[in-house]
C-alpha cells in the first residue's frame, strides 16, 4: 500500500517537474534568442522606435512601439466594450436569471461553450460579416481595422469576464443583501453599493484574466486587423499587434538574422505583459476565494 | 395604550405550505413584545411580515391585513422602501457589511439622504452602547468586531435611520452570555423610543426583556398577553407545555 502510494506520487512529481521544466526551458529559449537583437541595435532603437520595417530597402527598423501600441489599442477597446457588458450580464445572470434554474444553466452553458469556440471561427465572423458592416456604416475603404479587432476581441474575452464576475457576485452572502433591503435600500442601490464592492476582487480578477486572454489572441486578430505595421491614430485604421507580427513574419524570416531575434524580443515583451497580468489576476482570484471562505 | 402594529386575519403561504394561520395580534407602541414558540412555528415569518421581507422569497402568498399606524402595509400602493425605513430589522446572525464600522452606519444614512452624517453615526453608536468600545477604530473593518459588538453595530445601523419599529430576529442566538446581557440591557433602553418586536425561542430571555408576549404554535397564535400573565397563568394548555419545556 505504502509502496504504491510512493510510486504514484513519484510519477505525479515527475510529470509536474517535467512541466515546470518545460516552461522554464521555453522562457530561457525565448530570452536567449530575444536578447540577441541587442547585439545589432540599441535598446533605444527597439523600445522607442516608432517604425517597424524589418525589410526596408535602405534601413531596417525594428521598433516595438507600433506592435505594442496595436496590442494596447485593440485590447483596451475590447475591454471598454467587454467590461460593462460582462459585469451587467454577470449581475443579470446571478441576480435575476438564477431564479429560473433551467434557463440559468442553459445560458451559462452557452457562455462557457463560447469560450471553447476556435478563435479562427470568430475571426472568420469578423472577416466575412463584421468587416463589410463596418465598411458600410463608416464608409471606409476596408472594414479590417482596430474597431473590428476590438469588437472581436471583446467577444472572445466576454466568457472569461462573465464567468468570473458571475461566480464572484453569486457568492455574495444573502445576509448582506437582506441587511441592505431591511434598511429600505432599493435593489439597484444594493447591487451597486453592497454586492459589487463585496465581489470586487472577483470582478477585477475577471477583467485581468480577460485582458490576459485578449492580449495573447493571434489568429482572429490576424484575420480582422488589416495587418499594417503603423501606429494607428484612429479606430478605423488597420494595425498590428505583438502576436500578429510574430505570426505573420516568423515563417519567412531567415534564422539568426536581426529580424529573427527582433521577433523573439516581441515575444519576450508579450510574455512579460501576460505574465504580470495573469499574476495580478490570479492574486485577486485567490483573494476572492479567501474572502468567501 | 396606543397600538402600533395590528395583524388582522393574516395568513401566509410559501408555495402550498401555509406558514401563518389567520393571525390576529395587536402590538402596543414603545414596548417590547416577544414572540415565542418552538422551531418552525412561524415566528420568524411573522416578524418578517412586518417589514415585508417575506416578499423576497419567491412564491409567497398573503391574505389578510397588517396595519402600522392604521395603514395597511399590504396595500398595493405601499412603498416598500419607506416601509422598511420605518421598520428596522436585526437578524439572527450578525451581518455587518464588509465595510468599516463608520461606513456600515453611514450607508443607510446616505441612501436616505440624511444630513450631518458624522454626528448621526456617532449618536447611533452611543445609543447602541457601542461607541466607547469602537470610537478609536471607526474606520476599521466591522468584520474585526466580536459577535456581540457586531450585533450591536447592526442595531446602531438600524436605529441610525430613525425607524419607529425595530424587529429583532433571535438577536442573541449566536452570542455568549455576557454579550447577550449587554444586548438585553440595550433592548431595555431602546424601548423608550421604539416599538420593539423580538423573536426568541429562549423563554428566559422573553421573560427578561419583554412587556408583552405572544406564543405561537404550528403557525397559529395561541396566546398573547402581558408577559407576567403568560408566564404565571398561561390560559392555553400548549403554552403551559411549552413553558414547562415539553417541546422546544
Amino acid at each position: 500500500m505504502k509502496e504504491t502510494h510512493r510510486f504514484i506520487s513519484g510519477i505525479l512529481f515527475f510529470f509536474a517537474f517535467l512541466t515546470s521544466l518545460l516552461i522554464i526551458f521555453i522562457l530561457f529559449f525565448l530570452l536567449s534568442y530575444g536578447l540577441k537583437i541587442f547585439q545589432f541595435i540599441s535598446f533605444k532603437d527597439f523600445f522607442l522606435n516608432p517604425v517597424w520595417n524589418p525589410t526596408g530597402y535602405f534601413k531596417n527598423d525594428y521598433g516595438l512601439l507600433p506592435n505594442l501600441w496595436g496590442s494596447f489599442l485593440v485590447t483596451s477597446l475590447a475591454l471598454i466594450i467587454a467590461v460593462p457588458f460582462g459585469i451587467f450580464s454577470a449581475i443579470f445572470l446571478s441576480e435575476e436569471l438564477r431564479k429560473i434554474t433551467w434557463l440559468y444553466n442553459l445560458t451559462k452553458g452557452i457562455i462557457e461553450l463560447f469560450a471553447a469556440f476556435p478563435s479562427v471561427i470568430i475571426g472568420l465572423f469578423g472577416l466575412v460579416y463584421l468587416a463589410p458592416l463596418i465598411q458600410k456604416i463608416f464608409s471606409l475603404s476596408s472594414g479590417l481595422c482596430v474597431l473590428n479587432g476590438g469588437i472581436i476581441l471583446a467577444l472572445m474575452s466576454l466568457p472569461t469576464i462573465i464567468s468570473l464576475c458571475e461566480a464572484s457576485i453569486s457568492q455574495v452572502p444573502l445576509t448582506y443583501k437582506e441587511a441592505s433591503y431591511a434598511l429600505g435600500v432599493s435593489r439597484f442601490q444594493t447591487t451597486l453599493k453592497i454586492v459589487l464592492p463585496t465581489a470586487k476582487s472577483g470582478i477585477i480578477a475577471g477583467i485581468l484574466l480577460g485582458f490576459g486572454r485578449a492580449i495573447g489572441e493571434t489568429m482572429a486578430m490576424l484575420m480582422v486587423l488589416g495587418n499594417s505595421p503603423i501606429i494607428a491614430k484612429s479606430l478605423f485604421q488597420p494595425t498590428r499587434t505583438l502576436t500578429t507580427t510574430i505570426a505573420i513574419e516568423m515563417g519567412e524570416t531567415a534564422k539568426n538574422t536581426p529580424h529573427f531575434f527582433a521577433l523573439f524580443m516581441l515575444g519576450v515583451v508579450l510574455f512579460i505583459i501576460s505574465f504580470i497580468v495573469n499574476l495580478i489576476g490570479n492574486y485577486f482570484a485567490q483573494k476572492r476565494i479567501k474572502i468567501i471562505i | 395604550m396606543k397600538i402600533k402594529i395590528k395583524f388582522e386575519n393574516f395568513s401566509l403561504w410559501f408555495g402550498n405550505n401555509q406558514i401563518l394561520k389567520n393571525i390576529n395580534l395587536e402590538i402596543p407602541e414603545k414596548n417590547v413584545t416577544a414572540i415565542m414558540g418552538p422551531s418552525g412555528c412561524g415566528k420568524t415569518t411573522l416578524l418578517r411580515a412586518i417589514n415585508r421581507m417575506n416578499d423576497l422569497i419567491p412564491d409567497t402568498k398573503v391574505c389578510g391585513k397588517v396595519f402600522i399606524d392604521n395603514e395597511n402595509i399590504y396595500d398595493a400602493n405601499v412603498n416598500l422602501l419607506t416601509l422598511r425605513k420605518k421598520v428596522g430589522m436585526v437578524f439572527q446572525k450578525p451581518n455587518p457589511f464588509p465595510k468599516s464600522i463608520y461606513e456600515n452606519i453611514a450607508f443607510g444614512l446616505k441612501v436616505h439622504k440624511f444630513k450631518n452624517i458624522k454626528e448621526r453615526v456617532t449618536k447611533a453608536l452611543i445609543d447602541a452602547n457601542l461607541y466607547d468600545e469602537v470610537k478609536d477604530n471607526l474606520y476599521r473593518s466591522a468584520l474585526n468586531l466580536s459577535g456581540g459588538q457586531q450585533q450591536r453595530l447592526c442595531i446602531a445601523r438600524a436605529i441610525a435611520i430613525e425607524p419607529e419599529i425595530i424587529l429583532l430576529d433571535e438577536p442573541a442566538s449566536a452570542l455568549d452570555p455576557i454579550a447577550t446581557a449587554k444586548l438585553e440591557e440595550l433592548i431595555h433602553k431602546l424601548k423608550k423610543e421604539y416599538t420593539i418586536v423580538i423573536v426568541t425561542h429562549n423563554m428566559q430571555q422573553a421573560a427578561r426583556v419583554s412587556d408583552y408576549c405572544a406564543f405561537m404554535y404550528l403557525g397559529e397564535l395561541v396566546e398573547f398577553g402581558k408577559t407576567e400573565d403568560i408566564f404565571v397563568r398561561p390560559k392555553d394548555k400548549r403554552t403551559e407545555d411549552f413553558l414547562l419545556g415539553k417541546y422546544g
Side-chain angles (χ1 to χ4, degrees):
Chain A
M1 194 62 203
K2 212 164 181 185
E3 272 81 55
T4 336
H5 179 78
R6 260 217 180 124
F7 177 68
I8 291 174
S9 67
I11 289 181
L12 292 178
F13 175 77
F14 172 74
F15 281 107
F17 182 71
L18 200 67
T19 312
S20 359
L21 205 67
L22 270 175
I23 290 168
I24 291 168
F25 176 72
I26 288 172
L27 179 62
F28 176 74
F29 158 82
L30 202 61
L31 277 172
S32 71
Y33 275 114
L35 290 174
K36 281 196 186 134
I37 182 67
F38 299 117
Q39 294 170 357
F40 299 92
I41 60 171
S42 67
F43 275 101
K44 195 174 146 248
D45 280 339
F46 181 77
F47 286 107
L48 299 175
N49 186 353
V51 182
W52 175 269
N53 183 14
T55 50
Y57 192 72
F58 297 107
K59 177 176 175 280
N60 294 336
D61 279 296
Y62 305 105
L64 168 71
L65 287 180
N67 304 294
L68 187 65
W69 174 247
S71 279
F72 173 75
L73 204 61
V74 178
T75 311
S76 314
L77 181 64
L79 286 186
I80 289 170
I81 300 169
V83 166
F85 261 97
I87 295 179
F88 286 131
S89 315
I91 292 173
F92 179 73
L93 269 174
S94 60
E95 301 283 289
E96 296 293 332
L97 214 56
R98 223 176 158 70
K99 292 169 203 150
I100 315 165
T101 316
W102 69 270
L103 194 59
Y104 171 79
N105 288 335
L106 183 72
T107 316
K108 274 202 81 169
I110 291 172
I111 290 170
E112 269 148 34
L113 189 73
F114 200 72
F117 244 59
S119 62
V120 67
I121 290 176
I122 302 177
L124 207 59
F125 167 77
L127 187 70
V128 176
Y129 183 76
L130 210 54
L133 196 71
I134 291 173
Q135 188 180 1
K136 211 163 130 194
I137 292 173
F138 299 101
S139 7
L140 308 168
S141 57
S142 160
L144 300 175
C145 59
V146 175
L147 180 64
N148 196 333
I151 294 172
I152 291 299
L153 216 48
L155 281 177
M156 299 183 72
S157 49
L158 261 178
T160 311
I161 297 180
I162 294 179
S163 295
L164 273 147
C165 290
E166 198 271 333
S168 186
I169 289 172
S170 31
Q171 277 170 335
V172 173
L174 178 67
T175 56
Y176 291 172
K177 287 186 252 178
E178 278 191 331
S180 178
Y181 297 144
L183 285 170
V185 179
S186 63
R187 287 196 67 176
F188 174 74
Q189 294 256 37
T190 302
T191 304
L192 194 70
K193 296 197 172 136
I194 300 295
V195 176
L196 288 184
T198 308
K200 191 175 59 189
S201 300
I203 292 172
I204 294 173
I207 293 170
L208 286 172
L209 296 178
F211 180 90
R213 166 109 165 84
I215 200 145
E217 176 50 39
T218 313
M219 199 58 222
M221 292 303 97
L222 202 62
M223 295 167 81
V224 301
L225 276 182
N227 302 322
S228 128
I230 51 168
I231 294 194
K233 290 180 192 69
S234 87
L235 296 182
F236 306 114
Q237 280 183 307
T239 192
R240 267 197 197 177
T241 64
L242 292 165
T243 53
T244 54
T245 299
I246 298 173
I248 292 167
E249 296 181 4
M250 196 49 108
E252 31 192 80
T253 309
K255 218 180 159 199
N256 298 332
T257 55
H259 186 190
F260 180 81
F261 296 134
L263 289 176
F264 267 94
M265 197 57 209
L266 291 185
V268 172
V269 172
L270 180 65
F271 173 81
I272 292 171
I273 295 173
S274 0
F275 181 73
I276 292 174
V277 168
N278 276 292
L279 208 64
I280 304 173
N282 280 319
Y283 165 76
F284 279 106
Q286 289 296 322
K287 202 170 146 188
R288 184 195 104 214
I289 292 163
K290 267 185 217 144
I291 286 171
I292 302 304
I293 291 166
Chain B
M1 181 172 346
K2 206 182 154 223
I3 299 301
K4 186 74 179 172
I5 308 163
K6 186 175 160 198
F7 285 81
E8 212 177 86
N9 301 327
F10 187 78
S11 300
L12 186 144
W13 290 261
F14 291 148
N16 293 321
N17 214 349
Q18 186 167 11
I19 309 294
L20 298 176
K21 296 173 185 162
N22 202 31
I23 305 282
N24 283 289
L25 174 64
E26 293 184 341
I27 295 174
E29 188 176 40
K30 294 190 181 167
N31 270 292
V32 178
T33 303
I35 304 171
M36 305 187 291
S39 309
C41 69
K43 52 193 190 304
T44 294
T45 306
L46 183 75
L47 190 77
R48 290 165 73 105
I50 302 173
N51 63 349
R52 290 188 55 178
M53 286 295 276
N54 291 322
D55 291 21
L56 297 174
I57 298 160
D59 223 6
T60 305
K61 287 189 299 263
V62 298
C63 167
K65 292 171 179 169
V66 178
F67 294 94
I68 294 180
D69 296 331
N70 299 319
E71 185 198 2
N72 181 10
I73 60 167
Y74 283 86
D75 254 359
N77 57 5
V78 163
N79 182 341
L80 271 187
L81 306 184
T82 324
L83 169 71
R84 289 182 186 150
K85 181 182 171 295
K86 192 170 166 181
V87 186
M89 185 166 192
V90 175
F91 295 82
Q92 192 166 358
K93 256 180 75 188
N95 57 353
F97 299 124
K99 297 171 181 282
S100 71
I101 295 168
Y102 178 87
E103 270 302 318
N104 258 279
I105 301 172
F107 172 65
L109 291 168
K110 284 181 198 159
V111 169
H112 292 292
K113 309 233 166 12
F114 279 91
K115 299 213 166 58
N116 306 329
I117 291 187
K118 206 158 184 181
E119 288 79 16
R120 284 175 187 274
V121 170
T122 313
K123 182 168 184 304
L125 284 169
I126 293 171
D127 289 348
N129 294 349
L130 187 61
Y131 186 70
D132 291 333
E133 291 162 57
V134 301
K135 62 182 178 224
D136 302 321
N137 299 321
L138 282 185
Y139 301 98
R140 294 256 306 270
S141 170
L143 301 181
N144 293 335
L145 297 175
S146 73
Q149 290 172 325
Q150 288 190 3
Q151 201 59 303
R152 277 179 282 143
L153 178 66
C154 292
I155 292 180
R157 178 172 74 185
I159 59 180
I161 57 172
E162 300 181 338
E164 294 166 22
I165 299 167
I166 302 174
L167 310 176
L168 303 165
D169 183 5
E170 301 195 31
S173 64
L175 304 185
D176 62 74
I178 293 169
T180 304
K182 284 189 175 174
L183 189 79
E184 288 175 3
E185 189 187 312
L186 174 61
I187 292 171
H188 201 73
K189 176 176 130 187
L190 291 175
K191 76 173 181 185
K192 294 188 189 86
E193 285 181 62
Y194 307 94
T195 304
I196 296 176
V197 186
I198 177 170
V199 159
T200 175
H201 59 221
N202 177 336
M203 288 174 271
Q204 285 82 9
Q205 185 172 51
R208 282 193 303 264
V209 300
S210 69
D211 305 298
Y212 290 84
C213 211
F215 174 67
M216 286 186 72
Y217 188 65
L218 298 176
E220 284 175 56
L221 180 72
V222 174
E223 199 167 345
F224 176 73
K226 278 195 171 271
T227 302
E228 59 254 38
D229 295 343
I230 288 219
F231 274 84
V232 179
R233 288 178 297 275
K235 293 190 195 93
D236 196 289
K237 180 82 175 59
R238 288 168 292 180
T239 317
E240 196 181 330
D241 285 350
F242 179 71
L243 293 173
L244 291 172
K246 292 204 178 149
Y247 32 67

